[in-house]
Amino acid sequence: KKIYAYLDIGSLEEYRPYFNEFKEKTLGLYENWEDEYWMDVSDVAWQNLIVDKLGRDIVDKGFDGFFIDNCDVYYQFQDEKTFDGLCSILNGLRKYHLDTIINGGDTFVSKCIDGKTAKEMFDGINQETVFTSIDFENRSYGLQKEAETDYYKEYLAKVKACGLSVYLLEYGADAALLKQIEAYCRKNGFVWYNAESLELK
C-alpha cells in the first residue's frame, strides 16, 4: 500500500503548535470549520515552515506522498500573490520526489492546467462531493445538486486529459447512488471512496 501524509498548506488551525507564530498572517475565518483560518500563503516564513519543516518531517517518517489540503484558499482570494504562494510551496515540496495529491482546489488546479504547469507540481487530485453533498449545520449528507455534479464531471475530465490521477471522496451515498458512482469511476479509470461521515469512517 501507498501511504500519503496530510499536509494543510492553505489554512491554519488554532490547535497547531505554530498557531501563535502565524496567526497575524491569517486572512479570515474558514466557513464551517471552527477555530480554522485561511492563511496568507504568500508569506515566506509560512512557505519555509511547510516545505522545510513539515515537509521534511513527512519525508523522514517514510511516507510515500503528500496529501495537500486547502489550495481552495485561491478560490477565496483570487489574486496573483495567493496563486504564486501556492505554487512556491508545491514547487518546494517537489525536491523530496514524493507523489503529491491535491485535495479539492479546483479553481487553483484549473489555472495550473491552463498554464501547463500542473504536472510540474502535483500528480493527481482528490475531489469531494461530486455526487453527494454535506449539510454542515445538521451534520447530514444528501444528493449533490445536478449543476454541481455536471461542473465537477467537466472539471474531472479536464484533469484526466491533463494526465493527472483522479480520486473521488463521497459521503453517505445510498445503494443506488453507489452503483452510479461506481459505473462513472470505472468508465473513467478513477478511484473512489464512500465515507459514512466527515470523520471518514
Side-chain angles (χ1 to χ4, degrees):
K1 303 294 183 182
K2 285 188 175 182
I3 308 215
Y4 292 75
Y6 178 89
L7 183 57
D8 184 353
I9 71 173
S11 74
L12 177 65
E13 304 96 331
E14 290 185 0
Y15 67 81
R16 298 292 183 183
Y18 42 84
F19 175 76
N20 288 330
E21 181 182 355
F22 290 98
K23 63 182 179 180
E24 298 302 321
K25 300 295 179 65
T26 59
L27 302 174
L29 284 171
Y30 194 134
E31 186 181 6
N32 295 319
W33 296 95
E34 292 183 5
D35 304 328
E36 188 167 356
Y37 306 83
W38 293 111
M39 189 63 203
D40 178 4
V41 294
S42 70
D43 182 69
V44 174
W46 175 257
Q47 295 176 12
N48 291 338
L49 170 75
I50 297 294
V51 174
D52 297 325
K53 174 64 171 66
L54 304 182
R56 169 52 65 185
D57 287 347
I58 287 170
V59 172
D60 291 344
K61 287 181 173 69
F63 285 95
D64 298 298
F66 299 108
F67 186 79
I68 303 293
D69 205 10
N70 288 317
C71 288
D72 296 289
V73 66
Y74 179 64
Y75 174 78
Q76 299 291 329
F77 306 94
Q78 294 187 37
D79 50 53
E80 287 306 306
K81 75 170 190 173
T82 299
F83 179 79
D84 291 344
L86 290 173
C87 291
S88 292
I89 293 171
L90 292 168
N91 279 315
L93 291 171
R94 275 314 214 192
K95 69 183 178 182
Y96 299 120
H97 306 292
L98 295 187
D99 286 349
T100 300
I101 304 296
I102 305 292
N103 184 49
D106 52 291
T107 303
F108 171 74
V109 171
S110 288
K111 185 175 174 68
C112 293
I113 292 174
D114 292 342
K116 303 188 186 308
T117 60
K119 294 188 72 175
E120 297 174 8
M121 294 184 288
F122 45 92
D123 305 285
I125 66 97
N126 179 70
Q127 183 58 54
E128 300 181 73
T129 63
V130 175
F131 293 89
T132 57
S133 64
I134 304 171
D135 182 337
F136 284 92
E137 184 175 347
N138 297 305
R139 300 290 288 187
S140 62
Y141 311 95
L143 190 65
Q144 183 60 276
K145 295 177 181 177
E146 185 177 353
E148 287 290 310
T149 297
D150 289 344
Y151 162 77
Y152 282 129
K153 284 183 175 180
E154 183 177 343
Y155 163 65
L156 296 177
K158 180 178 183 178
V159 173
K160 178 183 177 181
C162 180
L164 297 166
S165 300
V166 176
Y167 304 86
L168 273 65
L169 176 56
E170 302 293 345
Y171 296 90
D174 60 23
L177 187 55
L178 288 175
K179 290 181 180 179
Q180 182 182 341
I181 298 170
E182 172 64 25
Y184 168 76
C185 289
R186 189 187 308 114
K187 177 181 177 181
N188 288 282
F190 300 161
V191 177
W192 66 284
Y193 178 71
N194 180 55
E196 294 183 5
S197 70
L198 282 171
E199 287 71 35
L200 304 181
K201 297 178 180 179

